[in-house]
């Protein structure tokens, strides 16, 4: 059983940056992958990025590739999402999740945090 808590969300202007953090307790590195997903009002939950807990392999959604960077720190039981060049379309609640396979599909992720709000607006 793993518990995940996101932080770092907030209000930022278009073109700005935020770094999201996900603090894990339990045995997070028994999972193969850690992912970030987001949910905007009126839209389906979308996979943003995920990272292997062992070899640092990563996946990114086309919409964020080149702007967002996922990373992890096993010693700190944390995973991060650096978000640059933010635009209003990035506005959503962002969730951290632990999964078994390195795929950006929500069915792979059994454990989820409560989410952190990211709002991009001028």
């Amino acid at each position: 059983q793993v518990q995940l808590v996101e932080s770092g969300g907030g209000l930022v202007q278009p073109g700005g940056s935020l770094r999201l953090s996900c603090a894990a307790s339990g045995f997070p590195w028994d999972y193969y992958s850690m992912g970030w997903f987001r949910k905007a009002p009126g839209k389906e939950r979308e996979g943003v990025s995920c990272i292997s807990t062992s070899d640092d392999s990563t996946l990114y959604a086309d919409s964020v590739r080149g702007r967002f960077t996922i990373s992890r720190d096993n010693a700190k039981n944390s995973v991060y999402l650096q978000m640059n060049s933010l635009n209003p379309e990035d506005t959503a609640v962002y969730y951290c999740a632990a999964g078994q396979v390195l795929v950006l599909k929500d069915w792979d992720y059994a454990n989820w945090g409560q989410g952190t709000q990211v709002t991009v607006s001028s």
Side-chain angles (χ1 to χ4, degrees):
Q1 184 67 36
V2 61
Q3 301 291 323
L4 306 172
V5 180
E6 302 93 337
S7 62
L11 176 65
V12 64
Q13 292 186 338
S17 298
L18 286 172
R19 191 180 80 149
L20 305 183
S21 298
C22 174
S25 61
F27 301 95
W29 314 131
D30 286 344
Y31 292 86
Y32 181 76
S33 62
M34 298 293 294
W36 287 97
F37 293 74
R38 65 187 182 185
K39 177 70 171 66
K43 297 183 178 180
E44 296 181 354
R45 186 165 57 192
E46 173 191 21
V48 176
S49 183
C50 58
I51 186 169
S52 168
T53 59
S54 58
D55 65 6
D56 285 338
S57 297
T58 59
L59 297 174
Y60 293 93
D62 289 343
S63 59
V64 307
R65 185 175 294 109
R67 299 188 297 122
F68 292 9
T69 303
I70 191 170
S71 61
R72 62 169 172 81
D73 187 334
N74 286 1
K76 296 181 178 180
N77 288 337
S78 297
V79 62
Y80 308 96
L81 186 68
Q82 178 67 46
M83 305 186 295
N84 299 326
S85 301
L86 287 162
N87 57 61
E89 289 70 42
D90 296 314
T91 296
V93 177
Y94 284 71
Y95 299 90
C96 178
Q100 298 298 133
V101 185
L102 193 67
V103 295
L104 278 176
K105 302 292 185 181
D106 57 8
W107 50 256
D108 181 54
Y109 295 84
N111 294 284
W112 297 78
Q114 294 300 306
T116 184
Q117 177 71 48
V118 172
T119 302
V120 185
S121 177
S122 60

